[in-house]
Amino acid sequence: QVQLVEFGGGLVQTGGSLRLSCASSGRAFYTMGWFRQVPGKEREFVASITRSGSNTYADSVKGRFTISSDNAKNTAYLQMNSLKPEDTAVYYCAASFETSGRREVDYDYWGQGTQVTVSS
């Protein structure tokens, strides 16, 4: 059984940085992705990375966020710099074992979510 465990959320001031981690147990992933959701809105794609290192970003985070992975540990990371209040959300990691993409349906397993709050 696959489990995704996230770490690293918290409270930070505008302009600050946070690093999220997502460890996948049980199976090597093909793509790891990060999504985020605020109350009353749909979950939105943030970034993804394939096992070969190909990454994709949402326009809203391009240049500020960096996704990376450690394949030996089946772990993905999201380094978030220059954080803005509009980045406040619950961040979810997701794993796909066959495909890559920006849609929720492209992913098979999800983490429990971690809160990121950026104060102004």
Side-chain angles (χ1 to χ4, degrees):
Q1 184 173 354
V2 174
Q3 287 188 321
L4 301 180
V5 181
E6 300 153 356
F7 301 94
L11 173 65
V12 66
Q13 291 185 333
T14 297
S17 298
L18 282 175
R19 188 192 195 207
L20 305 182
S21 302
C22 176
S24 170
S25 65
R27 193 173 165 188
F29 65 87
Y30 179 79
T31 303
M32 292 283 276
W34 288 96
F35 290 74
R36 65 187 182 186
Q37 188 171 27
V38 298
K41 292 190 176 182
E42 292 185 353
R43 196 175 302 187
E44 66 172 1
F45 173 80
V46 175
S48 66
I49 187 167
T50 65
R51 201 164 187 85
S52 63
S54 177
N55 52 46
T56 304
Y57 296 94
D59 288 343
S60 58
V61 306
K62 207 172 287 185
R64 300 187 297 122
F65 291 11
T66 301
I67 190 170
S68 61
S69 64
D70 184 334
N71 291 342
K73 297 181 180 179
N74 281 331
T75 299
Y77 306 93
L78 186 68
Q79 178 67 43
M80 304 184 294
N81 298 329
S82 302
L83 283 161
K84 305 175 181 179
E86 50 264 44
D87 294 317
T88 296
V90 177
Y91 283 70
Y92 297 88
C93 72
S96 170
F97 298 99
E98 295 182 352
T99 64
S100 61
R102 295 171 173 252
R103 304 172 304 164
E104 291 185 64
V105 296
D106 294 325
Y107 295 85
D108 306 299
Y109 294 92
W110 293 82
Q112 78 282 3
T114 185
Q115 177 70 45
V116 171
T117 302
V118 184
S119 63
S120 58

